[in-house]
């Protein structure tokens, strides 16, 4: 792929291969469609959530945000929200696949998931982050989490 991007960069006089790669990613994301065939763009924004550095992937349909996936810079999924009138259109899956291809994603261990989050993790597949690593990123005490869940004595 890099060889092809270098060739295209020279052909179209892009200054750097990195610039061309960004353009290719923009073209790719503008070609995403929902299950119903509606065109969807995915935007990527660096942000912070509760003081944690994160990337926000937002699905834009007809100029309006239909949902987003928020991932810590380590790839730990922090949140996924899809507007109610867009649920079931494949938006969460498109966001997950795009973000996983972009930075690599990890699901939160079961102690950090809502019932909906567990369903999402099962539907998407993929890796679950190590419990201690996830607790460290989130600033939580894993022993306390286990105690609160009745899994360990303090």
């Amino acid at each position: 792929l890099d060889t092809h991007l270098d060739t295209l960069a020279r052909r179209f006089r892009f200054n750097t291969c990195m610039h061309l790669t960004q353009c290719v990613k923009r073209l790719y994301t503008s070609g995403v469609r929902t299950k119903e065939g509606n065109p969807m763009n995915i935007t990527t924004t660096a942000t912070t959530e509760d003081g944690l550095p994160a990337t926000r992937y937002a699905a834009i349909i007809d100029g309006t945000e239909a949902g987003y996936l928020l991932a810590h810079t380590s790839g730990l999924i922090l949140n996924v929200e899809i507007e109610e009138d867009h649920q079931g259109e494949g938006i969460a899956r498109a966001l997950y696949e795009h973000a996983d291809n972009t930075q690599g994603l990890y699901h939160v261990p079961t102690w950090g998931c809502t019932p909906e989050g567990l369903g999402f993790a099962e539907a998407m597949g993929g890796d679950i982050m190590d419990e201690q690593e996830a607790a460290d990123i989130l600033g939580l005490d894993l022993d306390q989490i286990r105690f609160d869940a009745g899994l360990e004595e303090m």
Side-chain angles (χ1 to χ4, degrees):
L1 179 61
D2 288 338
T3 303
H4 295 299
L5 289 175
D6 286 336
T7 302
L8 286 171
R10 283 191 303 277
R11 183 173 177 196
F12 294 104
R13 295 188 167 99
F14 282 96
N15 292 334
T16 64
C17 187
M18 176 65 85
H19 179 70
L20 179 60
T21 302
Q22 292 169 349
C23 292
V24 169
K25 284 182 181 177
R26 278 191 221 116
L27 289 173
Y28 168 74
T29 59
S30 65
V32 177
R33 294 190 175 271
T34 66
K35 282 199 261 185
E36 286 73 28
N38 298 323
M40 172 176 55
N41 290 320
I42 298 176
T43 63
T44 305
T45 309
T47 187
T48 57
E49 179 77 12
D50 297 327
L52 299 173
T55 303
R56 190 173 195 277
Y57 300 91
I60 310 298
I61 299 174
D62 294 329
T64 303
E65 186 174 291
Y68 69 91
L69 182 147
L70 187 68
H72 183 266
T73 54
S74 68
L76 180 66
I77 299 170
L78 300 173
N79 197 20
V80 180
E81 292 283 335
I82 306 299
E83 294 295 326
E84 193 171 328
D85 58 332
H86 286 288
Q87 291 180 3
E89 294 180 16
I91 295 169
R93 179 173 295 280
L95 288 168
Y96 176 86
E97 289 174 356
H98 177 77
D100 193 37
N101 287 333
T102 301
Q103 76 174 80
L105 292 179
Y106 296 94
H107 297 286
V108 132
T110 54
W111 51 255
C113 286
T114 63
E116 295 85 4
L118 287 174
F120 176 76
E122 288 173 7
M124 295 301 108
D127 297 323
I128 297 172
M129 185 172 275
D130 172 77
E131 286 189 338
Q132 187 62 59
E133 186 178 356
D136 291 346
I137 288 168
L138 299 172
L140 302 173
D141 180 343
L142 184 56
D143 291 333
Q144 185 66 50
I145 292 168
R146 289 179 175 154
F147 177 77
D148 291 345
L151 302 174
E152 261 183 28
E153 291 183 22
M154 289 289 283

